[in-house]
């Protein structure tokens, strides 16, 4: 949808940002044991975490490392599925 609306580069940029945010969500859920209700029940938790990371990002190497690794892994899986979809579409056109 983004690719059709804004172009190829914007579509890939949107996918990359979505993967990175999803990876950050995985870190928050798996390592910090937060869930989606924590944003509603304790609305100051997430901003305080983000503020602490923004203040000294190198003190949170685990958070950065896990987020980057999950982003790369999810990006690889996304590219793999995307390539299967492109090949499948090309095969349908040939038939």
């Amino acid at each position: 949808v983004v690719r059709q609306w804004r172009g190829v580069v914007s579509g890939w940029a949107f996918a990359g940002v979505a993967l990175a945010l999803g990876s950050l969500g995985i870190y928050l859920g798996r390592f910090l044991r937060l869930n989606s209700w924590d944003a509603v029940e304790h609305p100051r938790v997430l901003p305080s975490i983000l503020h602490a990371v923004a203040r000294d990002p190198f003190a949170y190497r685990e958070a950065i490392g896990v987020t980057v690794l999950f982003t790369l892994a999810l990006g690889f899986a996304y590219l793999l599925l995307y390539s299967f979809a492109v090949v499948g579409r090309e095969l349908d056109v040939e038939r």
Side-chain angles (χ1 to χ4, degrees):
V1 171
V2 174
R3 182 185 63 176
Q4 292 173 351
W5 179 48
R6 289 289 190 183
V8 175
V9 174
S10 295
W12 282 107
F14 181 83
V17 169
L19 290 172
L21 289 174
S23 299
L24 180 61
I26 291 171
Y27 173 77
L28 291 173
R30 281 286 170 199
F31 291 86
L32 299 185
R33 308 300 294 166
L34 298 175
N35 62 38
S36 56
W37 283 105
D38 285 328
V40 176
E41 292 176 349
H42 310 289
R44 294 184 180 168
V45 171
L46 289 176
S48 67
I49 292 171
L50 292 175
H51 183 264
V53 172
R55 201 176 31 198
D56 187 15
F58 294 110
Y60 297 91
R61 289 188 178 127
E62 179 185 68
I64 294 169
V66 168
T67 302
V68 168
L69 286 176
F70 270 107
T71 301
L72 292 173
L74 291 173
F76 176 75
Y78 182 79
L79 286 173
L80 187 66
L81 291 173
Y82 183 82
S83 66
F84 286 149
V86 169
V87 168
R89 192 177 322 134
E90 290 173 357
L91 289 175
D92 286 343
V93 169
E94 289 177 4
R95 292 181 193 166

